[in-house]
Amino acid sequence: MRDAFHADPTDVTLAAALNGLSDPLRLRIVDLLSRNGETECSAIYRELGISKSNASHHFRILRECGLLRRTHEGQRQSARLRTEEFEARFPGLLAAVLDNIEAGEGR
């Protein structure tokens, strides 16, 4: 399996970062990963009640904005936030977003 593109956060613009965080489902994914840490992708699909293809689309956008890292070990795929790298590029942005996720969008 070919490795997915993962943007270097230092190359990500503020507009791209904000676009990555602009969708309610992506906010739910980010919230889930911030609470649970690295999580198997299939567990994310189940917990959020979404299809694999829908999740893959949103994972791609989160990878392209430098916020998500997906890894593969055999058939197992997992995702984690790149919190430290994203924080270095956009200080305080992720924390502010997570602190302000509304009940209907995550927690």
Side-chain angles (χ1 to χ4, degrees):
M1 176 179 279
R2 181 174 65 89
D3 284 341
F5 173 75
H6 292 86
D8 181 340
T10 60
D11 295 332
V12 173
T13 64
L14 179 58
L18 293 174
N19 179 61
L21 294 166
S22 68
D23 183 87
L25 181 53
R26 289 194 291 275
L27 288 176
R28 290 176 62 203
I29 293 169
V30 168
D31 182 56
L32 185 150
L33 291 172
S34 75
R35 289 183 286 116
N36 297 344
E38 186 166 352
T39 303
E40 193 167 335
C41 292
S42 62
I44 296 170
Y45 315 150
R46 282 192 307 275
E47 185 163 336
L48 298 179
I50 58 176
S51 69
K52 180 180 178 179
S53 62
N54 191 13
S56 293
H57 165 75
H58 291 288
F59 288 160
R60 178 184 56 80
I61 293 169
L62 290 169
R63 286 193 321 269
E64 289 173 353
C65 78
L67 189 53
L68 184 117
R69 166 82 56 197
R70 258 184 42 195
T71 56
H72 304 269
E73 288 183 32
Q75 294 292 329
R76 182 178 178 268
Q77 296 182 35
S78 59
R80 68 171 175 82
L81 293 180
R82 298 169 70 185
T83 307
E84 293 171 8
E85 295 166 272
F86 197 81
E87 174 66 19
R89 176 70 172 114
F90 303 106
L93 177 60
L94 183 58
V97 167
L98 290 170
D99 286 346
N100 288 286
I101 289 178
E102 297 179 21
E105 295 173 321
R107 299 174 187 180

